[in-house]
Amino acid sequence: MHRKRIDRRTLLKGVAVKGAGAVAIGLPLLEEMTLTKAMAAEQVDVPVRAFNVFFGLGIPAPLQKEGFDGVLEPLKPLSKKLLIMRGVDQLRADEKGINAHYDGATAAFTAEPPDGEAKAGGASIDQVIRRNHYRDGMPAGMVPTLVAGTFFRRSRIGRYVHSYNADGTVAATMQEKPRDLFERVFGTIGAADEDPDKRRARLKRSVLDTVVDQYKFYTGANSPLGSTSKARIAEHLDRIREFEQRAYAMKGKVDGAPPLPPQSQLLHGGSADPGGEGIDITLEELSSEWRLMADLYALAIQTDRTRFGALTFLAAGERIRLKGDYDYDGRKVFQFDDEGQHKKSGSAGCSHEWWHQFNENKKNEALRAHAHLKMREVAYFLSRLDTEDSVDANGKTILENSLITISTESGDGRHNDVKRELSGVFHAISGAGGRFKTGQILDVGAEGVDVYNTMLTAMGCKDLLGPQKRDARAVDAIRA
């Protein structure tokens, strides 16, 4: 029996608020959206997506050499879908008088030094790709660029924002609270004449109230969908409701959904960086907040609400005093107690200091544990894009089809040696639909600008990064 194929965007438009600037809830991939055998030879239109994932402080180059036997262990389950690059040099981004917390962090995804305290020196990878593939703008109702994250250092923008326009200005406002991220994805794009207070009140009821009629149609007797797809829509909307409840810490819950966590008690905004002295935080607080942000961000991608942006796990030069038992894969890795282990308070007792104390001839146990944790949390986000809810029409996952670039600020952390700090900066990328050689750890030995421009060329971009007159070198080893 021939099954009629329904375009994903058609259904996405259907499950939406009526009127201009509708709030789209999005849909999972349904059997009616996938290819039949007869369609297998046809070209599949998979969205072009690019996201930058940043984590603070970096991974010292000597530890990168240990591969998955060391701090990179949490990436191993995803290793076939990642290309891990060592030996990426960001020295051209060095600015005299500052350090990798500023210049290295801003160079991540731009390969350029900062342009003052509130701008980068140019565009980031994701925005170059967006401009080249969507010159007339993004599809209606889509969040053009989504920038979010969990971070605890502010001052210069480059510490925590990692998506920039061509002129170096930030590509979107940072969403640092789960509630704000949920609203940005599912609630803030309303009709132009809608009163903000009314929109907020509507959101506090439930964004799902806005799609009741469409929900009834797609799950009812006149639906063009099969029984399996009807069930998936019902499960999908229950999942969005769960995330909504988690983000808002609402009373009540969907029957069978996981218990709701308490409302976030973490510091946000300026209070999260009190005089640069750092904050106390438990591992449970840090991980729970991050994972909710990661879940919401992944959901925005899965429902095709956004295709470009950046996600930050702990800002450049993070200053937190972490506490708690760290377990991974059934074993205890470390007991975090930064202040107690440093035997110092304030900024001197923060995790930040382990990087300044790094010595390749010592065990560096605390640093290793912190770096391992960062990779665990980055891997958590990536894994959310590699599930059955993240399968595109070509049968591959969003992780496999997208260009996701992972990087950080520093190759070492010692401010007294610029070459140590800005050489050997950790990078990893996903396959971008088979454009890159995933499944390996590669010593590229190249400048960041050349690596990035090779990536952009592979993505079909005419616009590149860096000075036009600079002698460029393609890093062909990363291309499939």
Side-chain angles (χ1 to χ4, degrees):
M1 179 177 177
H2 179 70
R3 171 165 51 86
K4 182 180 178 181
R5 183 168 180 259
I6 302 175
D7 181 74
R8 182 181 180 87
R9 292 298 301 175
T10 300
L11 272 81
L12 288 173
K13 291 175 182 176
V15 184
V17 181
K18 297 179 181 178
V23 182
I25 296 299
L27 290 172
L29 186 75
L30 306 175
E31 59 182 4
E32 287 79 7
M33 299 176 189
T34 59
L35 293 175
T36 63
K37 291 182 179 179
M39 300 175 183
E42 297 179 14
Q43 183 176 0
V44 181
D45 183 18
V46 173
V48 174
R49 309 182 188 96
F51 299 97
N52 307 325
V53 178
F54 181 91
F55 62 93
L57 295 179
I59 299 176
L63 301 190
Q64 294 178 41
K65 294 179 181 179
E66 299 171 1
F68 301 121
D69 293 329
V71 301
L72 302 184
E73 179 190 11
L75 296 179
K76 187 174 182 179
L78 297 168
S79 60
K80 291 183 178 180
K81 299 180 181 181
L82 296 175
L83 166 60
I84 294 174
M85 295 182 282
R86 300 184 297 208
V88 179
D89 167 19
Q90 297 280 34
L91 275 175
R92 66 183 302 275
D94 175 53
E95 278 202 356
K96 188 176 181 180
I98 62 176
N99 56 56
H101 301 324
Y102 301 137
D103 51 17
T106 307
F109 320 111
T110 71
E112 294 283 0
D115 182 11
E117 295 188 5
K119 291 177 65 179
S124 55
I125 297 169
D126 64 308
Q127 293 304 304
V128 175
I129 297 173
R130 182 171 80 95
R131 187 171 66 244
N132 276 261
H133 284 273
Y134 298 93
R135 291 189 181 277
D136 296 327
M138 301 300 296
M142 187 172 288
V143 179
T145 297
L146 189 62
V147 179
T150 298
F151 58 92
F152 301 95
R153 283 305 295 275
R154 300 182 75 84
S155 62
R156 298 188 182 219
I157 293 293
R159 281 189 185 274
Y160 54 93
V161 176
H162 297 287
S163 182
Y164 295 97
N165 297 314
D167 63 357
T169 56
V170 296
T173 302
M174 166 67 81
Q175 312 297 319
E176 57 181 301
K177 298 178 183 178
R179 177 171 173 165
D180 292 343
L181 179 57
F182 186 92
E183 288 191 12
R184 174 65 176 146
V185 174
F186 297 113
T188 57
I189 303 179
D193 59 350
E194 184 178 9
D195 180 81
D197 291 335
K198 291 182 180 179
R199 182 167 63 243
R200 186 174 292 274
R202 170 172 56 75
L203 278 167
K204 287 183 179 179
R205 292 196 304 272
S206 173
V207 297
L208 298 188
D209 293 341
T210 64
V211 295
V212 168
D213 291 341
Q214 291 87 345
Y215 166 76
K216 289 180 179 178
F217 171 73
Y218 282 116
T219 57
N222 295 323
S223 172
L225 305 177
S227 59
T228 301
S229 291
K230 289 179 183 179
R232 288 208 70 190
I233 287 181
E235 292 171 0
H236 172 71
L237 295 183
D238 281 349
R239 187 163 65 111
I240 288 183
R241 176 58 174 161
E242 176 202 333
F243 283 127
E244 181 183 38
Q245 291 175 320
R246 289 171 63 191
Y248 281 82
M250 289 177 173
K251 294 181 179 179
K253 58 187 284 294
V254 175
D255 289 340
L260 303 181
Q263 188 172 1
S264 173
Q265 299 298 314
L266 299 186
L267 297 171
H268 295 285
S271 59
D273 188 20
E277 287 302 303
I279 61 171
D280 296 299
I281 189 170
T282 67
L283 177 57
E284 182 180 1
E285 290 172 331
L286 175 63
S287 185
S288 295
E289 181 103 345
W290 159 257
R291 291 191 175 201
L292 177 52
M293 297 290 280
D295 285 343
L296 288 169
Y297 202 106
L299 182 63
I301 301 171
Q302 290 165 348
T303 55
D304 204 20
R305 294 290 288 120
T306 192
R307 297 177 182 177
F308 300 95
L311 185 63
T312 297
F313 177 62
L314 294 173
E318 69 174 59
R319 277 190 176 159
I320 61 173
R321 291 179 293 275
L322 190 61
K323 204 164 189 175
D325 291 339
Y326 176 38
D327 298 315
Y328 180 80
D329 197 25
R331 72 179 192 277
K332 184 173 181 178
V333 176
F334 194 69
Q335 183 176 34
F336 290 116
D337 183 10
D338 288 326
E339 186 173 49
Q341 289 154 357
H342 280 302
K343 297 180 181 179
K344 293 180 181 179
S345 60
S347 60
C350 291
S351 57
H352 183 137
E353 298 308 303
W354 300 121
W355 268 256
H356 295 324
Q357 296 171 18
F358 174 70
N359 185 327
E360 53 264 54
N361 297 317
K362 294 185 177 181
K363 291 184 178 180
N364 306 290
E365 291 177 306
L367 185 154
R368 284 177 177 274
H370 277 281
H372 191 281
L373 170 66
K374 293 175 195 294
M375 293 300 95
R376 185 188 75 165
E377 301 308 322
V378 167
Y380 177 82
F381 170 67
L382 298 178
S383 69
R384 304 303 297 148
L385 302 178
D386 198 41
T387 66
E388 63 177 17
D389 293 316
S390 300
V391 177
D392 277 326
N394 65 352
K396 295 182 179 180
T397 64
I398 291 174
L399 177 62
E400 294 171 298
N401 284 328
S402 304
L403 173 60
I404 299 178
T405 308
I406 306 154
S407 191
T408 183
E409 66 198 78
S410 162
D412 193 317
R414 285 176 277 187
H415 297 335
N416 62 342
D417 190 332
V418 173
K419 289 186 177 181
R420 283 181 182 267
E421 260 202 311
L422 295 178
S423 291
V425 179
F426 177 85
H427 281 74
I429 59 174
S430 54
R435 293 177 176 89
F436 302 107
K437 291 180 180 177
T438 55
Q440 63 176 322
I441 298 177
L442 184 65
D443 292 304
V444 295
E447 289 191 57
V449 66
D450 289 324
V451 173
Y452 294 173
N453 282 337
T454 301
M455 291 162 55
L456 292 173
T457 300
M459 294 297 295
C461 296
K462 295 181 179 179
D463 300 329
L464 300 177
L465 303 175
Q468 292 184 353
K469 295 183 179 180
R470 177 181 172 276
D471 290 333
R473 182 175 74 87
V475 187
D476 293 328
I478 72 174
R479 298 190 60 167

